[in-house]
Amino acid sequence: MEITINDPEIIDALKNAVEYEEKYAPYKCRQCNADKPEDADVVEWKCSCGYENRFLGWEWSNVTNNSSIISKLLRINLIEVVYRSNRYTCYALTNDKLVRKLISLKRRRILYLQIQ
Ligand SMILES: [Zn+2]
């Protein structure tokens, strides 16, 4: 599936999600400060020191004023639901590297094949 993303609201939401995750997601172990292994999922990874690092994600209002942006991002698998309760639904980027690349491109056309 080829997707072209030019909607500035989508790009803004993705930028905000990257910023939020840079600030709050465990790219470093919360116990020993070791870097997250490249292939480990930031949502849940076990460090070699034994500590289980977890990221509960962000709520839609942390990244956008427009909740319909979230359903678009879910549909193209750029984000996923990582936590859901009666009161909260929390999301995380499925591939932060891809999203970083995407928001830095001038022509935002990407090939993304991870369809669930
Ligand atoms: Zn550790």
Side-chain angles (χ1 to χ4, degrees):
M1 179 166 55
E2 195 177 58
I3 304 158
T4 306
I5 297 180
N6 285 316
D7 183 340
E9 269 190 303
I10 290 186
I11 299 302
D12 280 348
L14 289 173
K15 281 181 184 163
N16 292 338
V18 166
E19 256 176 48
Y20 189 97
E21 293 193 9
E22 272 172 2
K23 208 164 163 190
Y24 298 111
Y27 286 104
K28 286 183 182 290
C29 175
R30 289 188 173 134
Q31 182 164 275
C32 74
N33 214 36
D35 287 331
K36 177 181 80 64
E38 279 271 307
D39 55 348
D41 186 348
V42 77
V43 170
E44 194 173 50
W45 62 279
K46 190 173 182 179
C47 181
S48 53
C49 77
Y51 190 79
E52 307 245 6
N53 290 280
R54 274 187 196 169
F55 178 52
L56 282 185
W58 35 266
E59 290 181 82
W60 70 268
S61 56
N62 293 130
V63 306
T64 180
N65 297 321
N66 181 352
S67 62
S68 76
I69 296 293
I70 297 300
S71 38
K72 285 181 191 166
L73 292 174
L74 280 171
R75 220 177 303 140
I76 58 178
N77 292 312
L78 286 182
I79 64 172
E80 64 186 330
V81 174
V82 294
Y83 175 78
R84 198 196 297 270
S85 72
N86 290 340
R87 293 180 61 189
Y88 303 107
T89 305
C90 295
Y91 307 90
L93 297 170
T94 53
N95 186 334
D96 67 289
K97 272 191 199 146
L98 177 76
V99 168
R100 270 171 232 272
K101 199 169 172 190
L102 181 66
I103 60 186
S104 69
L105 295 175
K106 285 203 174 126
R107 285 185 71 220
R108 298 191 174 94
R109 178 169 294 176
I110 56 166
L111 198 61
Y112 201 61
L113 296 167
Q114 192 187 325
I115 305 299
Q116 288 165 343

